[in-house]
Amino acid sequence: NCLAVVFRQARPFDPNAFHLVPANEEQRRRRAEAEAAQVQAQAAFDLHSSQVQILELSERGDIRLTLLGPIDSLGSFVTFLAVMGCDGIVTGNAQGGLHLWSLGNSAVGNSALKWKFTKALQLWPNVENIGDSGVGSGGVSVVCMQALAMNSNVLAVSVQATSSAHNGAGSGVARAYIPTHGVVLIDMATCVVLAVLTAHTDVVRCMCAMPDGGLVTGGGKRDATVRTWHPSQWHASKERLPSGTAPGLSFDSNLAHLSIDSARTDAQQGESAREGEATVEDPAGTVANQQGVMPKLVREAVQTLRELGYVFALTILAD
């Protein structure tokens, strides 16, 4: 039995805690000690907020602790967790990063679970004239995520715009340029954006996977609707793009496209070659996904429920 836990600082330190001017040397010494202690405490909070704690209960009743992350020096706060299949965890952070962790084999003679970092995907806001660094363009933060029931590789991700620019992703990290609202469906196995669900007029705050592979989404206060989606709405065509378009697919180049960093690892390039994948560019310069198919733009849900109003949690009850 395992439990994945993320901590967040509930209340920031008071910025006016040290507004009084020290009157003597003793007060200046105490002020320096207090400021140093606050800096140290804030660093500890930031570290815990950027990690996932895996609590494993052994057969003897012991609790083993495993820390996942941070995987880089950015230390972005984890904002949401999602379970992928039966042996994977995806963390979404405040800078639009998705990090996939997989459960590997335990060491010989050690019954503790062994987790390993396997993949990263950086979400970037798709705005005009965005540069590689994204400086000055702002960024996106992951709000919620949900793995789909019938395909454990597909992850639904909701984001919201942030005022802070991305610090950037390392070389070999896939980048997905997405809108700053709505829900994107991503195949985490190939880092391909499959579809963008754009019906909500506010940030999607909660989601729930349907047993048939569909999705239920709840919009924010300005939207206040619950919408249901069927998997047939985003099943991509298997036809290759002859000239940047595909029959039956609706795509708006101003909303979303996928771009793979040119510095992909040799293993990733080899895997793409073995699978016969190709990157196709349309005349407008929009990059198709690795299968040569544009992400499908889904503007309308199968069903829209307005009577429920603003909701912040959804779940499926057993029959």
Side-chain angles (χ1 to χ4, degrees):
N1 298 324
C2 287
L3 180 66
V5 181
V6 174
F7 290 96
R8 186 178 303 175
Q9 186 174 356
R11 185 177 62 184
F13 289 109
D14 183 4
N16 299 317
F18 305 110
H19 66 282
L20 297 178
V21 179
N24 52 53
E25 186 63 30
E26 178 61 21
Q27 290 182 0
R28 284 191 287 270
R29 183 187 64 80
R30 290 195 303 232
R31 164 71 66 84
E33 291 178 352
E35 289 178 338
Q38 180 172 303
V39 169
Q40 185 176 7
Q42 186 63 63
F45 279 127
D46 292 346
L47 177 60
H48 287 299
S49 299
S50 61
Q51 293 177 321
V52 178
Q53 299 191 20
I54 304 295
L55 305 177
E56 178 191 355
L57 180 62
S58 68
E59 296 179 354
R60 299 181 301 177
D62 300 329
I63 297 179
R64 299 186 180 94
L65 173 63
T66 302
L67 298 178
L68 307 183
I71 64 169
D72 49 37
S73 59
L74 300 181
S76 281
F77 304 151
V78 175
T79 56
F80 209 86
L81 288 174
V83 176
M84 297 294 293
C86 59
D87 59 355
I89 293 177
V90 175
T91 63
N93 65 34
Q95 290 192 333
L98 303 181
H99 298 150
L100 177 62
W101 302 82
S102 298
L103 187 60
N105 296 326
S106 301
V108 177
N110 184 7
S111 60
L113 299 179
K114 183 178 180 181
W115 293 86
K116 61 178 180 178
F117 169 71
T118 57
K119 187 174 298 185
L121 175 64
Q122 180 65 51
L123 304 180
W124 293 67
N126 186 28
V127 296
E128 294 182 358
N129 301 322
I130 185 172
D132 290 338
S133 64
V135 175
S137 63
V140 292
S141 174
V142 175
V143 177
C144 62
M145 303 184 296
Q146 176 65 60
L148 300 189
M150 299 298 289
N151 190 334
S152 59
N153 290 328
V154 178
L155 183 70
V157 183
S158 168
V159 299
Q160 64 181 354
T162 61
S163 58
S164 59
H166 285 303
N167 289 332
S171 62
V173 175
R175 300 178 183 181
Y177 292 83
I178 63 173
T180 55
H181 69 280
V183 176
V184 291
L185 302 182
I186 303 172
D187 188 332
M188 291 300 295
T190 57
C191 290
V192 167
V193 177
L194 302 176
V196 183
L197 314 181
T198 65
H200 287 284
T201 57
D202 198 0
V203 175
V204 172
R205 296 291 177 182
C206 56
M207 295 186 287
C208 181
M210 299 289 285
D212 63 354
L215 187 69
V216 180
T217 56
K221 292 182 179 179
R222 292 192 299 272
D223 180 86
T225 64
V226 174
R227 301 175 189 259
T228 61
W229 311 81
H230 192 268
S232 61
Q233 295 180 276
W234 55 75
H235 280 322
S237 170
K238 294 183 179 179
E239 298 183 19
R240 296 286 174 172
L241 285 180
S243 60
T245 59
L249 294 185
S250 173
F251 180 77
D252 187 343
S253 62
N254 292 323
L255 282 179
H257 68 275
L258 178 75
S259 176
I260 299 297
D261 193 313
S262 59
R264 298 176 67 194
T265 64
D266 294 339
Q268 290 173 315
Q269 293 174 353
E271 182 178 356
S272 298
R274 287 192 300 271
E275 295 176 357
E277 297 174 350
T279 298
V280 180
E281 291 194 8
D282 68 3
T286 301
V287 181
N289 64 31
Q290 290 173 280
Q291 281 71 35
V293 178
M294 292 295 183
K296 190 173 184 181
L297 180 62
V298 184
R299 300 180 184 272
E300 297 295 335
V302 171
Q303 185 179 19
T304 300
L305 305 176
R306 304 185 185 277
E307 298 82 0
L308 299 178
Y310 170 50
V311 300
F312 55 88
L314 294 166
T315 190
I316 297 293
L317 301 180
D319 294 336

